[in-house]
Amino acid sequence: MTAGPKAAAAQETATPPGGRWVSALSLANLGVWVGWFGPLQLLLARQAEFLTPENKASTLALVTGLGAAVSMVANPVFGALSDRTTARAGRRIPWVVAGVTGGAAGLVVLGLAQSVAVVIAGWCLVQLALNAAFAALTAAVPDQVPVRQRGLVGGWLGVSQVIGILVGTALATVAGGITAGYLACAAFSVLAAVPYVLMRRDSVLAPAARPAFRWRGFLTGFWIDPRRHPDFGWAWLTRFLMNLSYSISTMYLLYYLTDAVHYRGDADTGVLILTALNALTLLSTVVISGIRSDRSGRRKSYVIRSGLVIAAATLLLAVWQTWTGAVVASLVLGLGFGVYTAVDFALLTDVLPTAEDRGRDLGVINIANALPQVLAPVIAAPVVTHLGGYTALYALAGGLAVAGSLLVRRIRSVP
């Protein structure tokens, strides 16, 4: 790869997408997040508790860790495959269709699971398939959206992400049991993708333009040398640190309410309330911060400040282990994460090395989303059990967020 971010930007689309396309893209993205976070917020934890009550934390760590390992590989691979797809419908849409269909099938498997082995198989299928859809939806943004509008679109994708987490948590809570929760999430994920697929706005790759396939080139292409593309490397590292902080903070939230806060009501409802409060403040910042970033042309200052706010929220969870403290922390976390979600996504699309390999390169970036899900349970379980409990866990999360924020300054090509 010899082209840099400026070369990629030079090949961007000149025709901005309409509001209907952005809405359909956001809805499809929302469905993917429902498919992920209904299970992650509640259902997998409840299933682990039901199947192995004495080892619930270890079972949850095993299931989520293996699923995240699948995600880490699937996202860049499916992104690269979508770059090379020559279907008449376009490069990305076929993978959206296959992804949401396969993800729904995995959620049905989870709903019927009666053993840890079947839970692992179902969750790995969910991660494999939904990452195909997510990789295609993510790559559609630099395909279709000019640089000057990516903060805005990133903001709406942030809205869909947080509403997806909220809807997934709500469906898991009110559906009426573990099986019903999985089936509700499956149905929502499929239906949410329908408007985007029916719009049929996609970039088409002519068969003659597809490069010859060679296994060695395909596999080595996933290594993007940070010495040749330092801004891409720093963007990857900072996103990894921020997502590791967030994964550590949220993965054990149900157990945090039960074991540290000693929440008096139903813990599932407590998680739903905190998620809703987080969504409320996130929605107040996510779109407007993307718009302001587009207008000012600046990205880094927004990302740095938002990361420090996220760190403050995790530290509140570490030192103020009461229901009131959890409520305040959720509100603060939403403020920071709203700005971060919108602007950091725009920043990432600005540092992609090439235009031809956007799906693959964004897939490599998305390893920074998936790898923390593998590492978070490995880190969190011993910290909670042996190294200081939830105080140490959330202090660690705060430190990671601070590091991720400050290292953004090393990115040079984006103001």
Side-chain angles (χ1 to χ4, degrees):
M1 295 181 301
T2 58
K6 292 182 179 179
Q11 300 179 53
E12 69 167 60
T13 180
T15 305
R20 290 177 61 242
W21 182 86
V22 175
S23 298
L25 177 76
S26 300
L27 180 61
N29 191 61
L30 186 154
V32 171
W33 286 98
V34 166
W36 274 330
F37 273 86
L40 280 173
Q41 290 287 87
L42 285 176
L43 294 173
L44 288 174
R46 284 302 183 208
Q47 209 162 22
E49 189 174 44
F50 174 75
L51 294 172
T52 57
E54 300 299 323
N55 299 291
K56 61 183 182 180
S58 298
T59 298
L60 180 61
L62 175 65
V63 173
T64 55
L66 290 174
V70 171
S71 173
M72 185 171 60
V73 175
N75 201 289
V77 168
F78 284 120
L81 290 174
S82 74
D83 287 334
R84 302 173 55 85
T85 297
T86 57
R88 293 176 63 183
R91 293 193 293 173
R92 316 299 182 188
I93 286 177
W95 296 102
V96 175
V97 174
V100 296
T101 304
L107 290 167
V108 172
V109 171
L110 284 167
L112 301 175
Q114 297 296 319
S115 69
V116 174
V118 177
V119 171
I120 291 172
W123 184 238
C124 287
L125 176 57
V126 170
Q127 289 283 31
L128 180 74
L130 289 185
N131 268 284
F134 186 65
L137 292 168
T138 303
V141 176
D143 283 349
Q144 304 289 337
V145 182
V147 169
R148 65 184 182 276
Q149 292 186 335
R150 290 179 188 172
L152 171 63
V153 175
W156 283 113
L157 291 180
V159 169
S160 70
Q161 176 180 336
V162 70
I163 294 179
I165 295 172
L166 179 60
V167 171
T169 305
L171 289 175
T173 303
V174 306
I178 293 173
T179 299
Y182 280 124
L183 295 179
C185 290
F188 190 98
S189 295
V190 172
L191 293 174
V194 171
Y196 177 79
V197 173
L198 292 180
M199 288 195 72
R200 297 179 64 86
R201 174 170 176 145
D202 199 358
S203 59
V204 178
L205 178 67
R210 181 171 61 183
F213 181 83
R214 295 180 178 85
W215 275 108
R216 182 176 181 180
F218 181 77
L219 296 175
T220 58
F222 293 108
W223 169 247
I224 301 174
D225 192 341
R227 293 171 297 182
R228 297 176 62 188
H229 305 285
D231 284 353
F232 184 90
W234 287 115
W236 189 98
L237 178 60
T238 57
R239 193 169 184 84
F240 167 76
L241 291 172
M242 293 300 298
N243 276 287
L244 182 58
S245 171
Y246 189 78
S247 295
I248 288 175
S249 300
T250 60
M251 191 169 290
Y252 284 80
L253 187 58
L254 179 67
Y255 301 154
Y256 173 77
L257 290 182
T258 303
D259 301 335
V261 173
H262 304 294
Y263 184 66
R264 294 182 180 180
D266 178 60
D268 289 5
T269 303
V271 172
L272 177 59
I273 292 171
L274 295 180
T275 304
L277 293 173
N278 178 271
L280 180 66
T281 51
L282 190 151
L283 293 174
S284 71
T285 60
V286 65
V287 175
I288 192 170
S289 61
I291 294 172
R292 288 182 175 179
S293 173
D294 284 339
R295 289 177 176 174
S296 68
R298 306 187 68 82
R299 310 288 195 200
K300 290 193 297 186
S301 60
Y302 286 89
V303 175
I304 292 169
R305 290 196 296 266
S306 64
L308 295 177
V309 172
I310 292 170
T314 62
L315 293 175
L316 283 174
L317 291 171
V319 301
W320 194 4
Q321 294 181 6
T322 65
W323 174 244
T324 301
V327 166
V328 173
S330 294
L331 293 170
V332 175
L333 182 64
L335 290 172
F337 206 70
V339 179
Y340 180 82
T341 299
V343 182
D344 189 64
F345 179 78
L347 184 151
L348 291 172
T349 63
D350 290 348
V351 299
L352 296 179
T354 67
E356 295 83 1
D357 299 309
R358 286 165 170 161
R360 182 200 64 193
D361 296 343
L362 282 169
V364 173
I365 284 287
N366 282 326
I367 293 175
N369 300 334
L371 183 58
Q373 295 180 42
V374 179
L375 296 179
V378 175
I379 294 170
V383 171
V384 170
T385 305
H386 303 295
L387 300 175
Y390 290 101
T391 299
L393 182 70
Y394 286 105
L396 173 62
L400 291 169
V402 170
S405 299
L406 297 181
L407 289 175
V408 171
R409 296 183 299 175
R410 301 299 297 270
I411 298 172
R412 303 300 183 190
S413 63
V414 179

